[in-house]
Amino acid sequence: MTLKYENKFNIGDKIKALDFAGNNEYWIAGKITGTSVVRGSKVFEVEIEEDTLPPEVGETRVGDVGYVPMECFLGDKVCDNRITLI
């Protein structure tokens, strides 16, 4: 079974991924450097170049590797634009 975002993006693509589905306020952006499985879920490994997490929530993640799931289980309407190519 192919996951919602599995074949839409490739290694080297720059993507923007919402941290919380349905909330465009918090997101990360960066280049896909690989794929892996984390806690049983297929993910894109993203070298984070931009981060909108507010400082009061935690340290910036710029320079870290982010793991973006290839599927969203909150419903198609909420997740249609969870990951976009930039």
Side-chain angles (χ1 to χ4, degrees):
M1 176 178 120
T2 302
L3 301 175
K4 183 173 185 92
Y5 295 106
E6 187 170 11
N7 295 319
K8 291 189 176 185
F9 307 103
N10 300 301
I11 293 173
D13 286 349
K14 187 172 179 180
I15 61 170
K16 174 181 171 182
L18 301 179
D19 272 351
F20 306 102
N23 184 342
N24 294 330
E25 199 172 326
Y26 304 112
W27 49 268
I28 60 170
K31 185 170 61 171
I32 297 173
T33 58
T35 61
S36 61
V37 175
V38 175
R39 296 186 186 123
S41 297
K42 287 185 179 180
V43 298
F44 294 109
E45 297 173 356
V46 177
E47 184 179 312
I48 301 172
E49 299 170 5
E50 297 178 66
D51 179 16
T52 61
L53 194 64
E56 63 272 10
V57 175
E59 297 292 318
T60 182
R61 297 169 288 180
V62 172
D64 291 344
V65 174
Y67 300 98
V68 177
M70 294 182 189
E71 185 67 75
C72 178
F73 300 103
L74 299 174
D76 282 343
K77 268 189 167 175
V78 174
C79 298
D80 277 345
N81 298 312
R82 179 129 193 213
I83 307 172
T84 52
L85 187 66
I86 55 173

